[in-house]
């Protein structure tokens, strides 16, 4: 992948690809140079030829001048001065002519027009050589005659005859020599002209070749350009095709952590539409992950640009290997995605063929679905585990009882929520809510305890703790209830889970081991079965065990009256409170009982008896230490609500009334089973609500007995007892 | 959801009212509602939350309260537009407070204003919301928080 | 044969690394339990390769890497650490370490990492 990218980004220099064009250009230059060189050479030669033509022309002129001078000499024999001038001229002409003729024939130096020395090459053409040979032939006797005359004249001898000979020679040869010299000139001119023609031809050929070469280069080069353009275009098309189709977000970042020009189309789906090219990587992450994560990511990419760091050995440090991003949506919400960023080095070869890290290729994968699936699996596993825990907690409870408990629980939660919901603007009304809720949750706790549903019991206990704090808080506000509401919410959630689970378990319709002993009832959820009350024994034993006591629980008459189920629930609540009190406050620890010579195992009797068609009597009696009036008095003093002297003067009956008051308990410490001082108050409020009566009798060290008289509400009258 | 998280949103609203002339704002006892029956007054400003918790928080109030609130901050024009702006402002204060308390951990959207109760898009029906009543003068308004982990 | 120093405060990890590196490729020349000890042993034994834990008493891995690199900029350091904080790992590499191996690791993973670390 990285290879594709770097090729596309910068084509490498390839000598092979340009070999043809380099050779062509070299050939072009060579051709031009050789034409030029030849041009030079020929030009020099033509210049030389021109000198030859000039000198040949001068020979013509010299031959005429010699003849003319001879005739002048012949005519001025009586004029010594004119004679002398003419003689000198003859000498000069004769010397030049002879010298030039020799030079033409054999090659050699000769004085040129400006008296400078020029070197002549021997004439090579046949016609020229012929002319020269004939001229030399004629010249020999002509020259000898002139020389004889010159010798005679210079020696002062009689020169008349030798002059006459010379003049005669001139007359004879002059025309022939002129004609020969003329031939020479023409011949030389012809040679020069042919050379110029050759030069023109060569120049034309050279330039034509150069043009052809040029055209070839042009054609070749353009074709190569077009080919390489085609290759690039093809590569570009392939790249775009790849970028259009890959399923991942792809882009490159450079050393400055800036995004490259191209990116895959998918990137827009993954990160949302935006201008990617030229954006800094940090800016890209800015609004979708935390600032710290973005910085760590930038640091990580910098590591990738450090060639010393081993790419393979830092994969684990990738901070964006699984990252949750939140992409703002136009409707005000956020789209949460899980992305996987991976980073890979992209290399480029520099001019020395050394690979350097040029970019980091970033691949972004949207793995939201995968993560969701994993989470769902995890969640369901966790859910299963917690359900398993729940099941083990619930297994000991009879399904019908549990169902009833859950229904009651939701009722209770709803009542608590209604209390919270009630607008309360005065401090007192806010405070009163704590008391009302406490009553509800306390009953709930009692019921949970009776079924040994420890989780519910604990949760209720914690809520009682919260409520106790609220009750004691000064300047109580609605806001202070927040913690309680949170507890309520989580308790509701838990209860819903349990309900859900029991529904599922219900489908298996497992016949529990505690099969009802009497099956003659029409109400499946009805609690008039033996086991409907049987859990009270569990409750008693449970509380006894927690408090280090030994108790025998004897119940009777509970199933004999066909009570309305809701009403029965209330009776049960009362029983739970009274039984709890009997165990915690009544029955002594075994050691104390031993000391007072009582049976080690305490006894608690619960009896429900019909006393008339419309009334029944509920009796709870324990053989414990009896009511501790001193403890009640001490506690009353401790509350500080009444003057101490007044309390001292109170009768036992008056003190007894206190235990039914709100927030009064004689237990030393708050525990799940006692100490809130709400239980008895709740019993009282239930009894009063049903227009019943309570009587208490107690004998110190012997027993304590609560007798409650209540109206009977038969099963078919349930509608009348709403709420 | 932790009590502390909820408190941050409640504080946001209280903050807003404490910047008005009539600072006497009271928070009632929080209670729960099922989302299939959401609680709302006339006008509602919603902010979306994402991060460790996700869901939404909204401030909802009756028109009359908002009109009164507008007057109390010196705005005589109590047109619908202004009422929406005001709800938006309260929602903004909530989100501002949340941002400063949670830092970058949470992503909070710009407020969206609607009439009446938020719909299913904002409130997953299988969940419950916390309703925190807010009493200002003689009126009732509420902050409703629905967040899941 | 390359000389190797192990820096890790856990005995078990040190022994594990020692065990799988008594090969023909690496020779364990020193074994340090903290950064300070590592610097001392480094001066004595001059190893070419170091495996470095990050969280150690006295002197932590990052400070130790910085000092080791000051003494020998060609030293090849492999950070071996549990991944609680990626930012710390990245910082260690910025200080000069060249690779990172996540705890827990198998013998093969360690050998592979060391080979990659020293391969060039």
């Amino acid at each position: 992948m990285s290879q594709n990218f770097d090729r596309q980004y910068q084509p490498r220099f390839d000598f092979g690809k340009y070999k043809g064009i380099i050779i062509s250009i070299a050939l072009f230059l060579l051709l031009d140079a050789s034409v030029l060189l030849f041009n030079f050479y020929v030009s020099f030669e033509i210049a030389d030829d021109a000198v030859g033509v000039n000198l040949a022309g001068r020979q013509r002129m010299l031959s005429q001048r010699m003849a003319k001078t001879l005739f002048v000499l012949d005519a001025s024999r009586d004029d010594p001065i004119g004679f002398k001038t003419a003689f000198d001229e003859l000498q000069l002409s004769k010397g030049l002519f002879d010298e030039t003729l020799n030079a033409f024939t054999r090659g050699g130096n000769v004085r040129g027009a400006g008296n400078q020395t020029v070197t002549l090459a021997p004439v090579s053409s046949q016609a020229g050589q012929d002319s020269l040979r004939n001229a030399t032939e004629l010249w020999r006797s002509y020259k000898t005659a002139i020389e004889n005359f010159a010798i005679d004249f210079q020696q002062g001898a009689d020169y008349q005859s030798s002059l006459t000979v010379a003049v005669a020679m001139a007359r004879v040869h002059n025309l022939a020599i002129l004609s020969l010299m003329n031939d020479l000139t023409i011949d030389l001119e012809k040679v020069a002209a042919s050379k110029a023609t050759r030069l023109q031809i060569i120049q034309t050929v050279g330039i034509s070749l150069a043009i052809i070469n040029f055209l070839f280069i042009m054609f070749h080069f353009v074709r190569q350009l077009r080919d390489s353009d085609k290759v690039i275009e093809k590569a570009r098309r392939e790249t775009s095709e790849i970028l259009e189709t890959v399923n991942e977000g792809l882009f490159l970042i450079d050393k400055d952590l800036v995004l490259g020009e191209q990116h895959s189309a998918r990137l827009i789906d993954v990160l949302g539409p935006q201008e990617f090219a030229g954006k800094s990587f940090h800016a890209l992450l800015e609004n979708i992950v935390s600032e710290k994560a973005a910085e760590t990511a930038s640091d990580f990419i910098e590591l990738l640009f450090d060639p010393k760091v081993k790419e393979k050995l830092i994969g684990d440090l990738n901070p964006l290997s699984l990252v949750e991003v939140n992409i703002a949506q136009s409707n005000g919400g956020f789209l949460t995605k899980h992305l996987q960023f991976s980073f890979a080095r992209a290399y480029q070869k520099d001019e020395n063929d050394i690979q350097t890290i040029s970019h980091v290729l970033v691949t972004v994968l949207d793995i939201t679905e995968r993560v969701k699936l994993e989470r769902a699996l995890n969640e369901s596993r966790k859910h299963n585990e917690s359900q398993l825990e729940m099941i083990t907690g619930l297994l000991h409870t009879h399904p019908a009882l549990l169902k009833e408990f859950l229904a009651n629980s939701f009722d209770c939660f709803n009542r608590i929520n209604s209390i919270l919901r009630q607008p309360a603007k005065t401090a007192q009304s806010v405070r009163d809510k704590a008391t009302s809720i406490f009553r509800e949750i306390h009953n709930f706790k009692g019921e949970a305890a009776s079924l040994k549903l420890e989780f519910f019991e604990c949760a209720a206990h914690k809520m009682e703790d919260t409520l106790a704090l609220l009750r004691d808080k000064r300047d109580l506000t609605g806001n202070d209830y927040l913690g309680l509401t949170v507890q309520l919410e989580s308790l509701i959630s838990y209860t819903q889970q349990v309900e859900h689970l029991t529904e599922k378990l219900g489908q298996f319709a497992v016949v529990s081991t505690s099969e009802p002993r009497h099956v003659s009832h029409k109400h499946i959820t009805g609690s008039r079965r033996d086991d409907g009350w049987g859990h009270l024994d569990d409750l008693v034993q449970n509380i006894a065990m927690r408090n280090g006591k030994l108790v025998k629980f004897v119940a009777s008459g509970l199933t004999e009256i066909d009570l309305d189920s809701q009403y029965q629930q209330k009776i049960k609540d009362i029983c739970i409170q009274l039984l709890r009190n009997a165990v915690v406050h009544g029955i002594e620890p075994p050691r104390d009982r031993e000391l007072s010579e009582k049976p080690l195992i305490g006894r608690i009797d619960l009896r429900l008896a019909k006393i008339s068609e419309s009334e029944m009597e509920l009796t709870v009696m324990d053989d414990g230490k009896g009511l501790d009036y001193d403890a009640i008095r001490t506690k009353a003093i401790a509350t500080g609500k009444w003057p101490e002297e007044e309390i001292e003067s109170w009768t036992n009956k008056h003190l007894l009334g206190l235990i039914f008051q709100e927030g009064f308990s004689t237990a030393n410490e708050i525990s799940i089973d006692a100490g809130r001082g709400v239980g008895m108050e709740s019993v009282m409020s239930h009894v009063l609500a049903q227009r019943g009566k309570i009587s208490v009798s107690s004998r110190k060290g012997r027993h304590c007995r609560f007798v409650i008289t209540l109206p009977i509400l038969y099963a078919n009258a349930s509608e009348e007892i709403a709420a | 959801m932790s009590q502390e998280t909820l408190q941050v949103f409640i504080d946001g609203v209280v903050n807003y009212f404490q910047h008005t002339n009539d600072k006497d704002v009271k928070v009632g006892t929080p209670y729960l509602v099922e989302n299939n029956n959401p609680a709302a007054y006339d006008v509602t400003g919603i902010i979306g939350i994402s991060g460790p918790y996700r869901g939404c928080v909204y401030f909802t109030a009756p028109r009359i309260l908002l009109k009164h609130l507008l007057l109390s901050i010196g705005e005589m024009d109590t047109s619908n537009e202004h009422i929406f702006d005001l709800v938006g402002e309260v929602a903004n204060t909530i989100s501002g407070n949340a941002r400063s308390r949670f830092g970058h951990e949470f992503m909070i959207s710009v407020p969206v204003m609607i009439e009446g109760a938020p719909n299913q898009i904002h409130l997953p029906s299988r969940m419950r919301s916390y309703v925190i009543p807010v009493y200002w003068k003689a009126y009732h308004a509420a902050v409703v928080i629905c967040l899941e982990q | 044969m390359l000389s190797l120093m192990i820096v890790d405060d856990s005995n078990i990890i040190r022994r594990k690394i020692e065990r799988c590196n008594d090969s023909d490729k690496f020779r364990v020349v020193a074994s340090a339990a903290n950064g300070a000890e590592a610097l001392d042993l480094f001066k004595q034994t001059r190893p070419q390769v170091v495996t470095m834990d990050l969280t150690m008493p006295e002197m932590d891995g990052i400070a130790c890497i910085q000092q080791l690199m000051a003494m020998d900029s060609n030293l090849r350091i492999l950070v071996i650490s549990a991944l609680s904080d990626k930012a710390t790992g990245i910082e260690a590499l910025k200080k000069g370490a060249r690779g990172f191996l996540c705890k827990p690791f198998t013998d093969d993973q360690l050998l592979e990492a060391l080979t990659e670390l020293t391969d060039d």
Side-chain angles (χ1 to χ4, degrees):
Chain A
M1 182 62 72
S2 70
Q3 278 298 322
N4 270 346
F5 261 91
D6 64 17
R7 185 163 301 170
Q8 175 220 327
Y9 265 72
Q10 195 180 59
R12 285 187 351 232
F13 183 77
D14 181 358
F15 180 76
K17 203 161 95 184
Y18 297 99
K19 204 157 92 188
I21 199 155
I22 287 171
I23 289 173
S24 303
I25 291 174
L27 208 68
F28 177 75
L29 290 175
L30 194 74
L31 211 67
D32 279 0
S34 51
V35 167
L36 198 67
L37 224 76
F38 185 75
N39 203 2
F40 262 116
Y41 170 71
V42 177
S43 311
F44 279 123
E45 251 187 17
I46 289 174
D48 285 350
D49 288 349
V51 171
V53 170
N54 275 342
L55 290 177
R58 194 179 65 180
Q59 291 295 78
R60 274 191 320 212
M61 181 273 286
L62 287 173
S63 69
Q64 294 314 296
R65 199 155 70 189
M66 277 188 298
K68 193 185 114 202
T69 328
L70 279 172
F71 296 135
V72 169
L73 285 171
D74 190 30
S76 44
R77 288 177 206 240
D78 306 323
D79 176 7
I81 297 168
F83 193 88
K84 179 71 172 109
T85 311
F87 178 77
D88 287 345
E89 205 181 321
L90 176 69
Q91 280 295 82
L92 183 69
S93 297
K94 180 226 101 187
L96 268 178
F97 185 86
D98 186 54
E99 192 181 295
T100 306
L101 194 64
N102 274 328
F104 271 130
T105 313
R106 283 181 294 273
N109 289 338
V110 77
R111 275 167 296 153
N115 240 354
Q116 83 283 23
T117 312
V118 287
T119 310
L120 280 178
V123 171
S124 51
S125 70
Q126 194 54 52
Q129 278 174 358
D130 287 348
S131 314
L132 280 171
R133 208 178 316 109
N134 295 337
T136 309
E137 206 68 30
L138 297 173
W139 174 244
R140 199 174 298 130
S141 53
Y142 188 9
K143 183 182 140 190
T144 313
I146 293 171
E147 277 170 355
N148 288 342
F149 158 67
I151 292 165
D152 289 347
F153 176 69
Q154 276 163 338
Q155 288 171 353
D158 178 29
Y159 57 80
Q160 294 303 333
S161 63
S162 56
L163 178 59
T164 310
V165 171
V167 172
M169 284 304 258
R171 267 197 180 105
V172 175
H173 294 304
N174 179 34
L175 274 178
I177 287 181
L178 175 66
S179 149
L180 284 170
M181 284 304 108
N182 197 36
D183 289 349
L184 178 67
T185 306
I186 289 166
D187 180 58
L188 284 179
E189 273 172 357
K190 223 161 62 198
V191 168
S194 81
K195 274 188 182 163
T197 311
R198 207 162 67 229
L199 181 63
Q200 273 170 5
I201 289 166
I202 284 172
Q203 274 178 340
T204 310
V205 168
I207 283 171
S208 307
L209 281 176
I211 286 169
I212 289 166
N213 198 344
F214 175 76
L215 288 175
F216 170 76
I217 291 170
M218 281 292 290
F219 175 73
H220 189 74
F221 193 66
V222 165
R223 200 186 58 196
Q224 269 197 350
L225 268 178
R226 222 175 36 219
D227 285 355
S228 73
D229 276 356
K230 249 189 233 159
V231 169
I232 288 170
E233 173 59 24
K234 195 171 166 221
R236 202 193 59 78
R237 262 211 314 274
E238 274 174 15
T239 311
S240 329
E241 216 167 297
I242 291 168
L243 291 178
E244 287 298 318
T245 38
V246 282
N247 231 352
E248 293 119 17
L250 283 184
F251 58 90
L252 288 163
I253 349 181
D254 65 13
K255 279 194 170 63
D256 302 321
L257 307 193
V258 172
L259 272 68
E261 295 296 319
Q262 287 178 290
H263 60 81
S264 64
R266 184 85 184 143
L267 191 62
I268 297 167
D269 302 338
V270 176
L271 292 181
Q274 54 190 295
E275 186 53 51
F276 289 103
K279 196 173 200 165
S280 84
F281 186 59
H282 198 269
L284 181 73
L285 294 181
E286 208 163 35
N287 291 317
I288 55 171
V289 300
S290 74
E291 176 66 19
K292 191 170 180 295
E295 260 168 39
T296 311
S298 298
D299 283 350
F300 178 74
I301 296 169
E302 276 168 24
L303 284 184
L304 282 168
F305 278 111
D306 179 353
K308 281 192 173 177
V309 171
K310 302 287 179 185
E311 184 179 9
K312 278 190 201 164
L313 291 182
I314 58 170
D316 285 339
L317 290 176
N318 176 4
L320 301 179
S321 54
L322 173 54
V323 63
E324 186 181 308
V325 303
N326 297 290
I327 296 168
Q329 300 288 293
S330 49
N331 66 7
F334 282 95
L335 183 63
T336 301
K337 285 183 175 181
H338 297 271
L339 300 183
Q340 181 179 44
F341 283 76
S342 33
F343 303 92
R345 285 172 172 167
Y347 294 92
Q348 223 168 63
K349 274 187 184 159
D350 65 4
E351 22 338 318
N352 302 321
D353 232 23
I354 295 166
Q355 286 211 329
T356 51
I357 304 157
S358 64
H359 292 91
V360 165
L361 173 68
V362 185
T363 314
V364 195
L365 210 58
D366 186 346
I367 51 168
T368 310
E369 287 307 311
R370 202 173 84 199
V371 170
K372 268 190 189 158
L373 207 67
E374 268 169 24
R375 286 215 178 144
L377 279 173
N378 254 337
E379 206 113 286
S380 85
R381 195 168 57 223
K382 240 194 255 165
H383 188 67
N384 288 345
E385 277 166 11
S386 73
Q387 283 203 332
L388 206 66
E389 230 169 84
M390 260 187 224
I391 293 171
T392 44
L394 298 176
L395 270 181
H396 63 78
T397 314
H398 190 275
L401 278 182
L402 189 61
K403 202 166 175 187
E404 189 183 324
F405 169 78
L406 292 174
N408 288 338
S409 301
F410 286 126
D411 286 348
C412 169
F413 302 150
N414 279 337
R415 283 195 299 272
I416 294 174
N417 201 32
S418 302
I419 295 169
L420 286 170
R421 190 172 195 155
Q422 215 59 239
K425 293 185 188 174
T426 65
Q428 191 51 47
S429 58
V430 171
R431 194 172 291 276
D432 285 347
K433 288 186 175 186
T435 310
S436 316
I437 296 170
F438 203 112
R439 204 175 298 141
E440 292 289 347
I441 205 73
H442 195 70
N443 283 337
F444 170 75
K445 186 175 86 173
E447 207 172 322
S450 75
L451 291 173
K452 285 196 242 173
L453 296 169
E454 277 170 30
F455 182 90
F456 289 99
E457 208 179 339
C458 275
H461 190 69
K462 281 185 193 143
M463 284 174 79
E464 285 184 352
D465 282 340
T466 310
L467 283 161
L469 288 174
L470 289 180
R471 247 182 350 194
D472 294 342
K473 193 174 184 293
R474 292 163 61 92
D475 305 325
L476 191 64
T477 66
N479 201 154
D480 295 325
Y481 280 80
L482 185 57
L484 186 78
T485 316
V486 172
Q487 283 177 313
L488 178 65
E489 205 281 334
S490 78
L491 186 55
I492 294 175
S493 295
Y494 185 81
T495 313
Q496 280 175 334
Q497 283 180 53
V498 173
E499 187 187 37
H500 186 66
L501 185 65
T502 50
E503 272 163 16
K504 271 206 263 183
L505 286 178
Q507 290 165 2
F508 291 101
V510 181
V511 179
S512 109
T513 48
S514 51
E515 187 67 21
R517 271 160 261 166
H518 310 285
V519 283
S520 61
H521 289 285
K522 45 191 187 261
H523 297 278
I524 296 169
T525 55
S527 35
R528 275 143 299 162
R529 298 188 263 184
D530 245 355
D531 53 344
W533 292 96
H535 74 280
L536 288 179
D537 185 41
D538 290 343
L539 169 80
V540 169
Q541 296 307 336
N542 211 4
I543 299 169
M545 198 175 70
R546 274 204 295 255
N547 288 276
K549 302 192 176 167
L550 296 171
V551 178
K552 179 181 169 62
F553 177 61
V554 182
S556 61
L558 296 177
T559 56
E560 268 152 38
I561 314 171
D562 196 4
L563 286 176
D564 169 80
S565 68
Q566 277 200 13
Y567 189 57
Q568 190 184 28
Q569 188 57 42
K570 291 208 163 63
I571 305 295
K572 237 190 268 177
D573 284 349
I574 293 171
C575 291
I576 289 167
Q577 291 305 336
L578 290 175
L579 289 171
R580 189 201 308 258
N581 267 345
V583 178
V584 176
H585 299 292
I587 305 294
E588 311 93 327
R591 202 181 143 68
D592 290 4
R593 290 182 70 92
E594 198 177 10
L595 287 174
S596 12
E597 298 182 332
K598 289 160 91 172
L600 279 186
I601 302 173
R603 174 172 171 154
I604 297 174
D605 284 82
L606 170 68
R607 196 178 68 227
L608 187 66
K610 201 167 166 179
I611 50 173
S612 73
E613 267 311 302
S614 61
E615 276 189 316
M616 59 184 181
E617 192 179 80
L618 177 72
T619 308
V620 175
M621 178 170 157
D622 69 78
D623 69 341
K625 60 188 174 197
L627 283 174
D628 188 347
Y629 291 104
D630 290 340
I632 299 172
R633 187 174 275 121
T634 313
K635 174 74 193 194
I637 293 167
T639 61
K641 284 185 181 169
W642 307 275
E644 206 171 321
E645 313 83 69
E646 197 188 319
I647 297 168
E648 293 294 342
S649 69
W650 282 350
T651 59
N652 282 358
K653 197 177 173 188
H654 194 128
L655 288 170
L656 193 61
L658 287 182
I659 63 172
F660 294 109
Q661 282 193 6
E662 177 204 336
F664 197 91
S665 171
T666 58
N668 289 329
E669 281 172 36
I670 294 175
S671 72
I672 281 184
D673 299 317
R676 304 284 191 195
V678 153
M680 294 314 286
E681 189 225 345
S682 130
V683 169
M684 191 57 143
S685 70
H686 273 313
V687 172
L688 291 179
Q690 305 302 330
R691 299 206 188 94
K693 281 181 294 193
I694 300 184
S695 74
V696 184
S697 69
S698 164
R699 200 174 141 204
K700 190 168 184 191
R702 304 315 308 176
H703 74 268
C704 177
R705 184 173 61 201
F706 288 81
V707 180
I708 296 170
T709 315
L710 290 163
I712 297 174
L713 204 67
Y714 290 102
N716 48 6
S718 60
E719 293 84 356
E720 291 161 37
I721 283 283
Chain B
M1 180 173 22
S2 79
Q3 190 185 337
E4 292 72 28
T5 311
L6 293 167
Q7 191 65 53
V8 170
F9 297 109
I10 300 173
D11 290 350
V13 178
V14 173
N15 264 356
Y16 184 84
F17 280 94
Q18 278 174 352
H19 284 102
T20 63
N21 287 335
D22 194 343
K23 294 188 163 78
D24 189 23
V25 57
K26 277 204 179 100
V27 174
T29 49
Y31 61 95
L32 304 164
V33 291
E34 298 292 331
N35 279 356
N36 48 24
N37 185 19
Y41 294 102
D42 302 335
V43 184
T44 302
I46 313 164
I47 54 173
I49 311 275
S50 194
Y53 292 108
R54 65 198 55 181
C56 78
V57 173
Y58 63 88
F59 172 74
T60 178
R63 254 199 189 79
I64 178 79
L65 179 148
L66 297 164
K67 283 190 177 169
H68 207 136
L69 191 54
L70 275 173
L71 294 172
S72 90
I73 58 170
E75 176 56 64
M76 294 302 146
D77 179 357
T78 59
S79 66
N80 229 12
E81 193 188 338
H82 277 86
I83 282 176
F84 270 60
D85 279 357
L86 185 66
V87 170
E89 187 129 354
V90 178
N92 260 331
T93 314
I94 299 174
S95 70
N97 198 58
R99 265 198 200 101
S100 70
R101 294 277 282 278
F102 299 136
H104 287 286
E105 204 184 343
F106 281 84
M107 317 288 259
I108 302 169
S109 79
V110 287
V112 173
M113 269 70 74
I114 56 161
E115 290 201 36
N119 56 18
Q120 294 261 324
I121 297 170
H122 294 98
L123 293 174
S125 60
R126 64 202 153 77
M127 287 176 61
R128 278 180 291 278
S129 301
Y130 287 89
V131 180
I132 297 103
V134 176
Y135 307 131
W136 184 71
K137 292 185 188 285
Y139 310 117
H140 295 196
V143 192
V144 181
I145 304 167
C146 176
L147 295 176
E148 63 176 325
Q149 215 146 4
Chain C
M1 169 99 73
L2 294 161
S3 53
L4 172 78
M5 170 164 81
I6 300 162
V7 187
D8 201 304
D9 62 341
S10 151
N11 265 320
I12 300 159
I13 299 281
R14 277 208 309 277
R15 279 218 302 282
K16 181 179 165 73
I17 302 175
E18 274 169 35
R19 255 201 326 276
C20 75
N21 273 303
D22 246 357
S23 64
D24 47 355
K25 211 165 169 194
F26 298 99
R27 188 169 40 93
V28 178
V29 294
S31 208
N34 61 57
E37 202 181 319
L39 293 179
D40 277 350
L41 284 170
F42 180 82
K43 285 173 198 153
Q44 290 169 33
T45 58
R46 287 277 161 182
Q48 294 152 292
V49 185
V50 172
T51 71
M52 177 69 68
D53 186 19
L54 286 184
T55 43
M56 289 181 296
E58 294 192 36
M59 181 192 284
D60 69 17
I62 301 227
C64 187
I65 290 171
Q66 214 165 0
Q67 299 217 20
L68 287 175
M69 290 305 290
M71 285 192 270
D72 178 2
S73 61
N74 272 324
L75 188 62
R76 280 149 204 271
I77 302 177
L78 178 71
V79 173
I80 300 185
S81 178
L83 248 192
S84 51
D85 179 16
K86 292 184 181 183
T88 312
I90 290 171
E91 199 192 336
L93 271 89
K94 284 185 126 182
K95 292 276 186 275
R98 297 193 186 191
F100 184 95
L101 181 65
C102 187
K103 281 182 195 173
F105 51 88
T106 64
D107 290 2
D108 285 345
Q109 283 169 333
L110 176 67
L111 259 175
E112 210 173 290
L114 282 170
T115 309
E116 172 71 22
L117 184 80
T118 52
D119 174 36
D120 62 25

